[in-house]
Amino acid sequence: MSYLRDRMIQAIVTVYLIVTLTFFMNKSMPGGPMDWLEQDIYQNPDLYGLPPNPQPEEVQEVIEMYINIPPDEPIHVQYYSFMYDFFIHQEMGESIIVAPHADVGDLILTYAPWTVFLSTIAMIYGLVVGVILGSLMAYWEGSRFDVGMTVTMILTGGVPYFIAAIFLLYFFGFQLGWFPTGGRADPRADVGMNLEWVLSVFYYASLPALSFIITGFGGSALGLRANSIRLLGSEYVRSAQLRGLSTYRIATTYLARNAILPIWTGVVIGLGGLIGGSVIMEMIFQYPGMGLLMFEAAIRRDFPVLMGVFAVISILFVIGTLIADFTYPLIDPRADVKESREA
């Protein structure tokens, strides 16, 4: 438990530093949120509900409302106010352009589940495919299947995910028309946990998820193959062979279960990488998730939304690391035994 406690403390400190970084980026970027917003208010006061030639006090109130920082206070007061509102009230200001006057936290909560859903199914399917292929490649080491799959994985792993996304979108979306070219669910389906809507959600996420899977499963498969080869001579593998078990069962049940342990942490942490890569992916497929929200905020200079999404994506990466730490003892009970002995 001491290891997990230490990891939890590290995660809390990391999140605190991430939010602190967000504050100083928000505060000190040249031509950043405060300067740009102040200039825009003076140029277009009617857009912010102010009369022509607004007073400086009125402008300061509007700036504080949008970016959650009182601009006329000393820096330490601004920092305290920002951190207090973020952690205690979960307030990150209001959107300026993307969704005028909408609370940034509520906006992110609307989009974040879709990005997490897309990244999670891509990670799960990619892991399943990688585990099956990697264990079979190890069991048939040196065969045509092993050599062919190794070459294929090296080639697909060298292709950037956004290149695969563009190809899949063009070929299966625009040319063949088998998949939708944008959106996250069928607009004709009734929203809710009914079968039609759920199936449409998976259908619309197919191509974006496939882009991640094609370019990412090779890494876990090759890593699992290398670990499995070291285990081929193990006693429990020979015992399974003597019992006459099928090749598929030996490879996936006996080899894969033990070979996945060294790469498990990297696989779960990779979920954070998928969420970070969702910015370009969701832009290509016009998939309304947190990545597309961040892209639109950057293009339209909606700084409160941009900084809020940046903070949330970074925090999700930290959460992914924690999940890896907490789940490792579940798949490898020896970790608990080792920790108990060290304690």
Side-chain angles (χ1 to χ4, degrees), residues 7-22:
R7 294 297 296 150
M8 178 66 74
I9 294 174
Q10 291 177 14
I12 293 173
V13 173
T14 303
V15 169
Y16 180 83
L17 294 176
I18 288 171
V19 180
T20 298
L21 176 62
T22 303

Side-chain angles (χ1 to χ4, degrees), residues 9-325:
I9 294 174
Q10 291 177 14
I12 293 173
V13 173
T14 303
V15 169
Y16 180 83
L17 294 176
I18 288 171
V19 180
T20 298
L21 176 62
T22 303
F23 167 79
F24 284 105
M25 290 175 63
N26 214 339
K27 175 68 179 173
S28 60
M29 271 195 315
M34 300 183 71
D35 296 335
W36 180 87
L37 188 56
E38 182 177 7
Q39 181 182 0
D40 194 58
I41 292 172
Y42 279 116
Q43 292 177 350
N44 307 285
D46 55 309
L47 296 179
Y48 300 89
L50 297 178
N53 302 317
Q55 297 298 314
E57 297 79 11
E58 296 175 316
V59 174
Q60 300 302 314
E61 290 179 3
V62 172
I63 292 176
E64 181 178 357
M65 177 184 68
Y66 277 106
I67 64 176
N68 218 33
I69 298 176
D72 56 343
E73 297 289 345
I75 185 67
H76 66 279
V77 176
Q78 295 182 23
Y79 177 73
Y80 173 79
S81 176
F82 181 85
M83 301 297 281
Y84 182 84
D85 288 338
F86 188 95
F87 286 108
I88 304 301
H89 299 296
Q90 292 79 51
E91 293 180 358
M92 291 175 276
E94 295 184 2
S95 172
I96 303 172
I97 302 173
V98 173
H101 303 295
D103 183 79
V104 172
D106 294 339
L107 200 60
I108 293 175
L109 285 176
T110 302
Y111 286 85
W114 296 97
T115 298
V116 174
F117 164 74
L118 178 61
S119 302
T120 301
I121 63 172
M123 183 197 73
I124 292 174
Y125 288 136
L127 178 61
V128 170
V129 173
V131 166
I132 293 175
L133 291 179
S135 55
L136 290 175
M137 289 163 60
Y139 198 79
W140 291 325
E141 181 187 7
S143 66
R144 291 183 179 179
F145 174 79
D146 179 33
V147 174
M149 290 306 303
T150 300
V151 173
T152 301
M153 291 174 186
I154 292 175
L155 292 177
T156 57
V159 177
Y161 67 90
F162 54 86
I163 297 297
I166 293 173
F167 172 79
L168 292 173
L169 180 64
Y170 173 78
F171 189 73
F172 293 104
F174 289 105
Q175 293 298 313
L176 298 178
W178 291 354
F179 292 92
T181 58
R184 57 194 179 194
D186 190 346
R188 297 169 297 181
D190 294 331
V191 178
M193 297 307 294
N194 57 79
L195 183 60
E196 181 184 8
W197 185 79
V198 171
L199 290 177
S200 74
V201 168
F202 278 92
Y203 179 56
Y204 275 68
S206 297
L207 286 186
L210 188 59
S211 304
F212 281 130
I213 293 171
I214 289 177
T215 57
F217 81 95
S220 35
L222 293 175
L224 194 97
R225 174 186 178 275
N227 294 330
S228 298
I229 289 175
R230 294 188 296 103
L231 301 173
L232 281 174
S234 301
E235 183 176 344
Y236 62 86
V237 174
R238 292 196 299 267
S239 175
Q241 292 171 334
L242 292 174
R243 290 165 56 193
L245 299 180
S246 66
T247 299
Y248 177 81
R249 184 175 178 184
I250 294 174
T252 57
T253 303
Y254 290 83
L255 277 178
R257 182 177 179 181
N258 292 277
I260 197 176
L261 299 178
I263 67 173
W264 174 250
T265 300
V267 169
V268 179
I269 293 177
L271 178 60
L274 293 178
I275 293 175
S278 66
V279 176
I280 298 177
M281 184 67 69
E282 292 177 4
M283 180 194 69
I284 293 173
F285 288 98
Q286 288 299 293
Y287 188 86
M290 197 161 48
L292 185 60
L293 178 65
M294 186 175 186
F295 176 78
E296 291 181 354
I299 293 298
R300 304 172 71 177
R301 298 174 66 89
D302 196 330
F303 292 107
V305 175
L306 181 62
M307 293 301 176
V309 175
F310 166 77
V312 170
I313 287 179
S314 302
I315 291 171
L316 287 175
F317 188 87
V318 175
I319 293 174
T321 307
L322 270 183
I323 292 175
D325 291 330

